[in-house]
Amino acid sequence: IDHFDTVVRLLSQLNENIRTNALESARVTCNKLLETKIPNEYYLRVLIYPHHILRENPLAAGAGADRMSTGMQKAFGKPLGTAARVKAGQAIMEVRVNTKNIPLAKEALKRATKKLPKSFRLVTQSL
């Protein structure tokens, strides 16, 4: 980690929830490009973790459904999956590279944004 001189971060522009599968898909996309072009010359880190449990309160439809469901009266729901809650301006992922590989790191993170919801921006910082 110490021998890289630049870090490129992917920042969220809005408050949002990012599901586990979207986060993993973005990581795989970013890592795949970097691994094929510059193997062992980068450090990729995902900075958020999906702790928030998403739940669904299934409401039954059809004949006789009024006896099965209590509506929203005691709604808790069954777990569907997990998501990471992200605030505006929070970093999602970062790639540490040397100066000559900055364009490739930006391209990898740009491809990762295609797998994520909403809008993001890239920030480059020298270490």
Side-chain angles (χ1 to χ4, degrees), residues 7-23:
V7 61
V8 182
R9 287 191 179 94
L10 182 66
L11 303 179
S12 174
Q13 290 186 319
L14 301 168
N15 295 336
E16 59 190 334
N17 287 343
I18 301 177
R19 292 186 64 147
T20 308
N21 52 358
L23 197 59

Side-chain angles (χ1 to χ4, degrees), residues 15-86:
N15 295 336
E16 59 190 334
N17 287 343
I18 301 177
R19 292 186 64 147
T20 308
N21 52 358
L23 197 59
E24 177 66 10
S25 178
R27 183 196 65 81
V28 168
T29 301
C30 186
N31 195 44
K32 187 175 183 181
L33 178 66
L34 293 171
E35 186 63 35
T36 56
K37 301 284 185 180
I38 51 169
N40 302 321
E41 293 184 35
Y42 71 96
Y43 179 75
L44 171 67
R45 185 163 64 168
V46 178
L47 300 171
I48 59 174
Y49 187 83
H51 288 287
H52 182 68
I53 298 173
L54 300 172
R55 297 184 177 276
E56 177 189 42
N57 181 31
L59 298 175
D66 56 334
R67 290 180 294 273
M68 181 183 138
S69 176
T70 59
M72 295 300 288
Q73 182 180 357
K74 297 178 182 176
F76 185 67
K78 295 179 182 172
L80 286 178
T82 56
R85 287 195 168 174
V86 180

Side-chain angles (χ1 to χ4, degrees), residues 10 22 25-26 29-30 106-120:
L10 182 66
S25 178
T29 301
C30 186
K106 285 185 176 182
E107 176 61 28
L109 288 174
K110 186 178 173 187
R111 288 186 186 187
T113 62
K114 306 286 192 247
K115 308 290 184 181
L116 298 171
K118 309 287 180 170
S119 60
F120 298 88

